[in-house]
Structures are given as structure tokens and as C-alpha cells.
Amino acid sequence: MARPQEIEIAAEMVANVLSIEVAEGDSVAVGDTVVLLESMKMEIPVIAEHPGTVSGVWVAPGDVVQEGDVLLALTVAR
């Protein structure tokens, strides 16, 4: 039986958080946009690389994030 594991999704660059596309408890599939960032006047979608359930959202629209900052966490079955 697979054990649940928490996976953190982090920012890959310095950016502004434009929107959060999910809420805690939402199910996400591979390829779903979970956060929309803006950097250098470009919108950058943050995509889920694993299916799972959102277990925490650590940023809000308007926040400035640094490379490596955790945006949210997913609980996935492994």
C-alpha cells in the first residue's frame, strides 16, 4: 500500500505572486496550474508535477517570492 508523502512546490525564480489557482484540500492532476507568478512583465504558471491534494498554501497574491521559496505543499500517494 502506498504511503502518503508531502511534496513542496517552490518558486524557480524571484517573482510576484499574481494568483493562487488552488485552495487547501483541492485535488490536482499532473499539469494543473497551481500558482501564477509574474517576473519581468511575464506571467509564469507553476505546474503540478505530481497528482495529489493541496495540504498547505504558504503564499498570497501580491507576495514577492525568492528562488527556492515554498509556495505550497501537496500530499501524494507514493
Side-chain angles (χ1 to χ4, degrees), residues 10-20 35-46 59-71:
E12 295 184 4
M13 64 185 70
V14 176
N16 296 309
V17 178
L18 283 182
S19 64
I20 308 298
V35 176
L36 190 59
L37 300 177
E38 181 271 329
S39 182
M40 297 174 21
K41 302 197 188 255
M42 293 182 60
E43 292 185 1
I44 300 123
V46 178
V59 294
D63 288 353
V64 176
V65 295
Q66 303 297 313
E67 182 177 348
D69 286 355
V70 176
L71 305 173

Side-chain angles (χ1 to χ4, degrees), residues 19-61:
S19 64
I20 308 298
E21 304 297 316
V22 295
E24 192 167 336
D26 287 355
S27 293
V28 297
V30 172
D32 286 355
T33 299
V34 293
V35 176
L36 190 59
L37 300 177
E38 181 271 329
S39 182
M40 297 174 21
K41 302 197 188 255
M42 293 182 60
E43 292 185 1
I44 300 123
V46 178
I47 307 297
E49 295 180 4
H50 303 276
T53 303
V54 178
S55 55
V57 177
W58 313 127
V59 294

